[in-house]
Amino acid sequence: MQQKIKMPEAFREIFNPYRVKTYHGGRGSGKSENVGRYLLADGTRESQNIVCGREFQSSIKESVHSMLDYLIKDMHLEEYYDVLNNEIRGKKNDTQFSFVGVRNNIQSLKSMHNIKKFWGEEAQSFSQNSLDIIFPTIRAPGSELLFTMNPILVEDPAYQTLIANPQPNSLVQQVNYTDNPFFPDELEELRQHHERVFTPEKYRNIWLGECLSAVEGAIFARELEAATKEGRIRELKYDPKYPVHTFWDLGHSDLTAIWFIQVVGFEYRILRYYANSQEKIHHYIQYVKEQEY
């Protein structure tokens, strides 16, 4: 079919054949909507398996399913797609949109056949383990990986993998509300309010897509800031006079995490942290035994 799509200039290169396409920036930029329009249009052009993934998704309501349903109507594609409860299917070809939570469905994702396009929405939440699995899993000839994200920390795996050190043949495009000619008045009112009441760093993170500092973005921000100012975050050496305790957070599809800690007087000295997933318990026992403690 021949179709004209109204998209901002910032998304012009989305139609070019990059292996990885990452759109990052602040709120109101239209990242998700324009990637959705591209995928729906491309799905009418040829039959393909398109997977829309998030790191966590406990129900279809947490996916982009409802947004794609809206876009199908807005683009007048009802004659090309059937919107079902848990998927979207092409009426005139075999294009299929599936929706998965990557963290808890690793094996399901691995078993999907001939994925032509993968869209990682809210990609700032993706773990390193999920990214390491996604890239080699999407390997059909001519396949593409698309990511949309509002960055949080420079140290986050998604920022390092997709923006700071992008894969070969990548398009990395920052887009903000200033690049969106369809930016609604309601959001402009909210943006101006945030500009008045938020700290400059928080405002720039939300609306301009700039990363927070590690302390600003942390859950225990005030505690970490105090620890830094008081010199409590520093290099520590193992003291053989004291035992080392291990503290565990057990998981399988999500992370198992281990902290190695010495209690010396009134101090809890954190010596080491280790995390992994998809491993049996003997893997972690062996790791503990390999340490010098």
Side-chain angles (χ1 to χ4, degrees), residues 11-28:
F11 293 88
R12 180 178 58 180
E13 285 201 79
I14 198 170
F15 295 95
N16 292 335
Y18 293 95
R19 162 72 172 161
V20 185
K21 301 172 181 179
T22 300
Y23 287 90
H24 64 98
R27 293 177 63 182

Side-chain angles (χ1 to χ4, degrees), residues 40 68-78 81 83:
L40 288 169
L68 291 176
D69 182 18
Y70 158 76
L71 291 177
I72 287 170
K73 297 181 178 70
D74 187 66
M75 297 170 69
H76 307 292
L77 295 177
E78 294 93 334
Y81 288 109
V83 179

Side-chain angles (χ1 to χ4, degrees), residues 188-203:
E188 174 59 17
E189 185 178 10
L190 179 63
R191 185 197 67 78
Q192 291 181 16
H193 173 70
H194 285 175
E195 191 171 23
R196 290 192 300 269
V197 301
F198 285 168
T199 64
E201 187 175 33
K202 185 175 182 179
Y203 170 80

Side-chain angles (χ1 to χ4, degrees), residues 1-264:
M1 66 177 290
Q2 295 282 333
Q3 185 186 27
K4 292 183 178 180
I5 307 174
K6 292 175 64 177
M7 296 180 74
E9 181 71 14
F11 293 88
R12 180 178 58 180
E13 285 201 79
I14 198 170
F15 295 95
N16 292 335
Y18 293 95
R19 162 72 172 161
V20 185
K21 301 172 181 179
T22 300
Y23 287 90
H24 64 98
R27 293 177 63 182
S29 60
K31 296 183 294 294
S32 298
E33 182 170 316
N34 286 293
V35 168
R37 290 183 186 277
Y38 163 69
L39 292 174
L40 288 169
D42 202 63
T44 66
R45 185 178 61 84
E46 65 171 311
S47 176
Q48 53 189 299
N49 187 7
I50 300 172
V51 175
C52 304
R54 292 191 175 196
E55 179 73 349
F56 300 101
Q57 179 184 302
S58 58
S59 71
I60 197 69
K61 292 180 180 179
E62 297 175 357
S63 72
V64 293
H65 179 276
S66 60
M67 187 191 72
L68 291 176
D69 182 18
Y70 158 76
L71 291 177
I72 287 170
K73 297 181 178 70
D74 187 66
M75 297 170 69
H76 307 292
L77 295 177
E78 294 93 334
E79 64 177 298
Y80 291 92
Y81 288 109
D82 271 327
V83 179
L84 308 177
N85 288 336
N86 295 308
E87 62 182 6
I88 296 174
R89 290 184 179 177
K91 293 180 179 179
K92 299 189 176 184
N93 60 25
D94 293 327
T95 288
Q96 179 177 348
F97 285 79
S98 304
F99 305 89
V100 300
V102 175
R103 176 71 70 90
N104 296 321
N105 292 278
I106 290 294
Q107 297 306 320
S108 173
L109 181 63
K110 285 181 176 180
S111 65
M112 289 184 179
H113 177 64
N114 197 35
I115 301 173
K116 194 65 179 290
K117 289 184 174 61
F118 176 87
W119 175 16
E121 167 70 335
E122 300 288 347
Q124 69 272 7
S125 301
F126 280 7
S127 66
Q128 189 63 60
N129 183 65
S130 294
L131 291 167
D132 289 345
I133 290 172
I134 288 169
F135 275 92
T137 299
I138 314 304
R139 56 181 181 270
S143 56
E144 294 180 354
L145 298 100
L146 299 100
F147 297 93
T148 48
M149 59 185 290
N150 291 49
I152 301 176
L153 299 176
V154 170
E155 295 83 359
D156 286 339
Y159 187 91
Q160 288 298 314
T161 302
L162 301 172
I163 300 173
N165 304 286
Q167 308 293 308
N169 193 20
S170 287
L171 167 68
V172 180
Q173 180 72 48
Q174 181 168 7
V175 287
N176 288 313
Y177 75 93
T178 51
D179 301 301
N180 183 5
F182 312 109
F183 187 67
D185 293 338
E186 291 79 7
L187 277 185
E188 174 59 17
E189 185 178 10
L190 179 63
R191 185 197 67 78
Q192 291 181 16
H193 173 70
H194 285 175
E195 191 171 23
R196 290 192 300 269
V197 301
F198 285 168
T199 64
E201 187 175 33
K202 185 175 182 179
Y203 170 80
R204 291 196 300 269
N205 172 251
I206 293 174
W207 291 99
L208 301 179
E210 296 181 12
C211 288
L212 295 167
S213 66
V215 170
E216 176 73 18
I219 295 173
F220 298 103
R222 286 175 295 181
E223 289 82 357
L224 284 172
E225 187 173 18
T228 301
K229 289 180 178 178
E230 295 166 13
R232 290 186 278 121
I233 298 179
R234 62 186 188 274
E235 196 73 27
L236 293 171
K237 292 184 178 180
Y238 164 58
D239 189 336
K241 298 194 299 292
Y242 299 91
V244 175
H245 305 272
T246 59
F247 296 77
W248 298 58
D249 182 4
L250 295 172
H252 181 67
S253 58
D254 59 348
L255 293 176
T256 286
I258 310 171
W259 291 264
F260 296 78
I261 298 177
Q262 283 191 301
V263 182
V264 181

